[in-house]
Amino acid sequence: MLVLFATALFVPAIAHADDQGRDYCPARPGLGTPACTMAPGQVSVETSLGDWTLDKQSGDRTDTVLIGDTSLRIGLTDNIEAQLGWAPLGIVRERTGAATDRVTRTGDVTLGIKANLRNPDGSGLSIAVQPFVTLPVGRAPIGAGDWGAGLVVPVTYDLSKTVNLELTSEVDAAVDQDGRGRHLAYSGVVGVGFGLSDALTLTVEDQLVRDEDPSGSTTQDLASASLAWMPRKTLQLDVGAVAGLNRNAPDIELYAGIARRF
């Protein structure tokens, strides 16, 4: 929330959104990434008000709560935006048998660029590439402990006026579990968005994640459903749920957030 407040102070000095221009296209909620980009001079602040994940493995239980996980998107040109992300507060509670451990940490910073290759407003067939790096400013278990990098390739296609298909591919140089060095990780998301009304959208998705960590390779299968409500064209509220479909995936994730265009 501190990031959101600070951004609200300096955004008016660097940008003024044209309400008559491109429709607002937040990157949240959901597992996938939209291919649309912010229009030149427009700024989007997208914050998770609360995000809780439960992961039970071999009798152990881990609860992770993120508060204020925020992404800042700034339109630089007609088809390129800059991105900055940071999770200012994370709480992890681990229970192993009768022992319980609780830590509070900050997360790492993510810097990225999204370049749209076709239809930056997201209409019709839209394609983008999004390289990013993560900087190890946080501490484990919220922070990764070393730098990482990756490339996201989102593709969206309007099947009709109310139905949108999304495909998101990602390949990462992910940080090793011990916080030293990097390894290959990759994932894919398939989703369908349904426009229930002019202001309300339902999105259902499935994601497969393969992680080649030196400590042991894993594959996760996740299913997601989210609702996004846009009461006005510069503001969106959202809720979502993610369920793990195999034993390597976290059991459940619940979240709610807000996105605001300036």
Side-chain angles (χ1 to χ4, degrees), residues 25-237:
C25 180
R28 59 172 305 118
L31 299 173
T33 301
C36 57
T37 53
M38 299 301 297
Q42 291 188 344
V43 177
S44 177
V45 181
E46 307 179 20
T47 298
S48 175
L49 301 176
D51 186 314
W52 168 67
T53 301
L54 170 64
D55 188 10
K56 294 181 179 179
Q57 300 288 344
S58 302
D60 300 337
R61 172 178 174 139
T62 302
D63 294 85
T64 303
V65 176
L66 299 178
I67 299 175
D69 188 3
T70 299
S71 176
L72 176 67
R73 302 165 59 209
I74 304 173
L76 302 179
T77 70
D78 188 58
N79 64 340
I80 297 177
E81 69 178 32
Q83 301 176 339
L84 169 66
W86 184 48
L89 179 61
I91 303 168
V92 177
R93 182 178 180 271
E94 296 180 324
R95 187 180 69 191
T96 304
T100 300
D101 186 37
R102 182 179 183 273
V103 295
T104 301
R105 298 284 190 266
T106 60
D108 296 332
V109 168
T110 301
L111 302 175
I113 291 285
K114 184 193 287 187
N116 184 278
L117 308 178
R118 180 186 176 97
N119 293 332
D121 63 351
S123 63
L125 174 63
S126 186
I127 305 170
V129 292
Q130 181 180 315
F132 67 90
V133 296
T134 57
L135 307 179
V137 301
R139 296 176 57 192
I142 301 300
D146 202 348
W147 68 268
L151 176 67
V152 181
V153 181
V155 179
T156 57
Y157 180 68
D158 290 330
L159 297 175
S160 70
K161 291 183 178 181
T162 58
V163 182
N164 178 266
L165 175 66
E166 65 169 47
L167 304 170
T168 302
S169 302
E170 180 173 347
V171 60
D172 298 334
V175 179
D176 292 351
Q177 188 175 20
D178 63 6
R180 301 175 183 177
R182 280 149 295 281
H183 62 274
L184 175 66
Y186 49 95
S187 66
V189 179
V190 178
V192 181
F194 302 92
L196 304 181
S197 70
D198 290 341
L200 187 64
T201 301
L202 168 67
T203 302
V204 292
E205 300 164 297
D206 185 81
Q207 181 182 40
L208 288 176
V209 182
R210 179 65 177 177
D211 192 300
E212 303 286 354
D213 192 277
S215 66
S217 300
T218 60
T219 300
Q220 295 185 5
D221 189 3
L222 302 161
S224 167
S226 59
L227 278 172
W229 176 51
M230 196 168 286
R232 59 178 186 267
K233 57 187 176 181
T234 60
L235 176 66
Q236 175 185 276
L237 304 174

